[in-house]
Amino acid sequence: GENVEQHPSTLSVQEGDSAVIKCTYSDSASNYFPWYKQELGKGPQLIIDIRSNVGEKKDQRIAVTLNKTAKHFSLHITETQPEDSAVYFCAASIGRGSTLGRLYFGRGTQLTVWP
Amino acid sequence: DAGITQSPRHKVTETGTPVTLRCHQTENHRYMYWYRQDPGHGLRLIHYSYGVKDTDKGEVSDGYSVSRSKTEDFLLTLESATSSQTSVYFCAISEPNRGRSETQYFGPGTRLLVL
């Protein structure tokens, strides 16, 4: 199956700085890449996603980039705020056949934004 | 939490006892999933279902069974709980569309402690 690696496992930034989290995947057939944010004591929530026919997607302060050739994708958060502090997960989906609907998750990045 | 409830939200049980966790959705999504979350491991898929009575194993299915007799309910059973099954359990739902994976929405989680 798919293998997703996520780095770094922890990230500390000053309020207002940018944060970047990177993921790599192993199966070139993967075509859907969501990012989730998990606050303490809650379930993960989707913050942005991208499909393999798109190289970049933005939503206000967050953006995701995808490099299919290198099989990696990244989450960029600009102008970070203390409320961005959470665990972030990347995931990949092959999305066909017996794997339809399955997501393969990275191990998560604990982001801390210091005021 | 996208119309997903999990019960119970917290449970303490003893080694060797059976435990059933319930996931209920009001979104009429075909796919439902059970994950466990442990420090350092991220989200790991236990079992998932792609329709009523249609289930399949994930990557950490040993010691767990599932049942889905109605679209809205997905039950996870630990036949004989062990301390290694102490974890936070998340249910998720999705509705793959046009043969491609779509977003998974997560429930609030169940915190299980096996003594």
Side-chain angles (χ1 to χ4, degrees):
Chain A
E2 173 67 283
N3 181 47
V4 178
E5 302 276 348
Q6 182 172 348
H7 299 281
S9 56
T10 60
L11 179 60
S12 291
V13 299
Q14 203 73 33
E15 182 178 1
D17 289 348
S18 295
V20 180
I21 302 170
K22 298 182 179 181
C23 290
T24 61
Y25 60 98
S26 61
D27 196 322
S28 57
S30 288
N31 56 19
Y32 175 60
F33 307 92
W35 285 88
Y36 287 84
K37 175 184 180 182
Q38 185 179 25
E39 296 175 336
L40 199 60
K42 296 186 177 181
Q45 292 210 312
L46 180 80
I47 55 172
I48 196 167
D49 57 9
I50 192 168
R51 295 194 183 271
S52 58
N53 57 346
V54 175
E56 182 176 0
K57 185 176 178 180
K58 276 185 165 183
D59 183 2
Q60 299 183 343
R61 294 187 298 108
I62 60 173
V64 57
T65 58
L66 172 65
N67 183 327
K68 287 190 294 182
T69 303
K71 290 189 283 189
H72 68 70
F73 56 113
S74 301
L75 178 71
H76 305 253
I77 306 174
T78 59
E79 300 172 26
T80 54
Q81 301 166 4
E83 50 264 40
D84 294 329
S85 296
V87 178
Y88 291 81
F89 291 97
C90 64
S93 175
I94 298 170
R96 65 164 189 255
S98 62
T99 62
L100 179 64
R102 284 193 65 167
L103 291 179
Y104 298 85
F105 284 87
R107 294 192 174 191
T109 297
Q110 173 67 63
L111 173 65
T112 303
V113 181
W114 299 100
Chain B
D1 291 320
I4 308 167
T5 56
Q6 293 184 232
S7 58
R9 293 293 314 278
H10 303 270
K11 186 168 182 69
V12 181
T13 192
E14 293 188 348
T15 296
T17 60
V19 176
T20 295
L21 308 183
R22 181 185 183 230
C23 177
H24 178 79
Q25 59 141 332
T26 58
E27 306 296 322
N28 203 35
H29 281 13
R30 283 181 298 148
Y31 282 59
M32 299 185 74
Y33 312 80
W34 277 109
Y35 292 89
R36 60 178 290 174
Q37 185 174 36
D38 305 288
H41 290 277
L43 293 156
R44 293 183 291 175
L45 183 66
I46 305 171
H47 282 280
Y48 67 106
S49 168
Y50 43 94
V52 173
K53 292 187 169 46
D54 291 324
T55 64
D56 206 349
K57 296 180 180 180
E59 58 187 302
V60 290
S61 59
D62 287 349
Y64 302 94
S65 63
V66 290
S67 66
R68 189 158 177 214
S69 58
K70 297 185 290 185
T71 298
E72 58 266 35
D73 289 324
F74 193 31
L75 304 180
L76 177 71
T77 297
L78 291 64
E79 302 289 348
S80 177
T82 67
S83 58
S84 64
Q85 293 176 312
T86 291
S87 188
V88 181
Y89 291 86
F90 287 101
C91 173
I93 65 173
S94 77
E95 184 59 46
N97 188 28
R98 296 190 296 272
R100 63 181 195 178
S101 292
E102 296 291 342
T103 302
Q104 285 187 20
Y105 298 96
F106 284 79
T110 293
R111 193 170 293 271
L112 177 67
L113 174 62
V114 183
L115 300 175

